[in-house]
Amino acid sequence: MNWIDTGLIIAICTCASGLTQFLFWKHIAKTKSYESEIGKLNAQIEKIAQVTDTIKSVENKFINETEQLKANLALSTNLHINLELEKKDIIIDFNISLNKWINSSIYFAQIDLSNNDSIADSIKELDKQYHELLSKEIVFKIYIEDNALHVESNEIIKKGLDIAQQRNDLLFKIMNINDKIQKTNNKIELQSFHEERKNCLNDYLSNKQKEISNLNTYIYEFAVISRNYIYNILGHEP
C-alpha cells in the first residue's frame, strides 16, 4: 500500500513538473512574442517619427521659400513702382527743360535790346539751357522706351535749333546796330539806327510767326503724348 502511494505521488509530481515546465515555456514564448511585438511597434514608432521630422523639415523649407518668394516679389514690385515713378519724373523734367529752351528761343521780353550786355547774357543763357536739355534728353532716351515720344522730341529739338540759330543771328545784328548807335552823336543817324533795329525785330517776328506757331503746336502735341504715357505707366485713364 505504501509502495502504491509512493508511485502515485511520484507520478503526480512528474505530471506537475511537466505541467509546470509546459506553462513556464509557454509563458517564455508569450513573453518573447510580446517583446518581439513591442520591438516592432517601437521600430514603427521610430519610422513614423522620422517621417514626421521629414515632413516638418519639408514644410519648414516650403514656408521659408514661400516667405522668401513673397519678399522677392514685394521687392520686385517696389522696384517696378519706383522705376515707373522715376520715368514719370524724367518725362516731366524733360518737358520742363524743353519748354524753357523753346520759350527762350522764341520770346525777347526779358532782353533789353538796347543793351549789348543784356543781349550777350541772353545768348549765353540760351546756350546753357540747350546743354541742360541735352543732358536731360540722354536720360530721357535711356529710360523712356517709346518711339512716338522720341520722334516728337527729335523733331521739336531740330526745329528749336533752327529757331535758336536765327534768333541769335538777329541778336548779333542788333548788337552791331547798338555799336553804331554808341559811336555816333548825329541825330539823323541815331534815328536811322533805332528805326533799323526796330524793323529787324518786327521783320523777324513777322517772318517767323508761322514757324513759331507750328513749333508751339509740336510742343503741345508732345505734352499730350507725354501725359498719356505717364497715365499709362501709372495705370490711369488719360
Side-chain angles (χ1 to χ4, degrees), residues 4-5 8 14 17 26 49 60 69 74 77 81 95 102 104 111 114 158 163 193 198 208 215 219:
I4 294 174
D5 291 342
L8 181 60
T14 300
S17 176
K26 185 176 182 181
N60 290 334
L69 181 61
T77 301
I81 292 173
N95 270 269
I102 291 296
S104 295
I111 308 174
S114 65
K158 180 181 177 181
I163 288 287
F193 291 147
K198 179 181 177 181
K208 295 300 175 184
L215 185 56
I219 287 287

Side-chain angles (χ1 to χ4, degrees), residues 77-127:
T77 301
N78 289 335
L79 289 175
H80 176 73
I81 292 173
N82 291 337
L83 179 59
E84 298 307 303
L85 292 176
E86 191 171 357
K87 285 182 178 180
K88 179 204 71 173
D89 292 339
I90 289 171
I91 293 175
I92 292 174
D93 286 345
F94 181 70
N95 270 269
I96 292 173
S97 183
L98 182 62
N99 277 272
K100 182 179 179 181
W101 175 64
I102 291 296
N103 287 335
S104 295
S105 301
I106 293 175
Y107 302 111
F108 300 88
Q110 302 300 321
I111 308 174
D112 181 359
L113 294 177
S114 65
N115 187 318
N116 282 358
D117 288 337
S118 176
I119 295 174
D121 288 343
S122 73
I123 293 173
K124 291 178 182 178
E125 177 62 23
L126 185 65
D127 184 66

Side-chain angles (χ1 to χ4, degrees), residues 164-192:
Q165 182 59 55
Q166 294 179 58
R167 176 251 200 197
N168 286 342
D169 290 343
L170 169 67
L171 293 179
F172 285 129
K173 187 175 182 179
I174 290 176
M175 290 176 75
N176 288 330
I177 296 173
N178 289 339
D179 286 338
K180 294 177 182 179
I181 292 174
Q182 293 296 322
K183 292 177 181 178
T184 185
N185 292 320
N186 187 291
K187 290 184 179 181
I188 296 177
E189 288 183 346
L190 285 173
Q191 183 178 358
S192 175

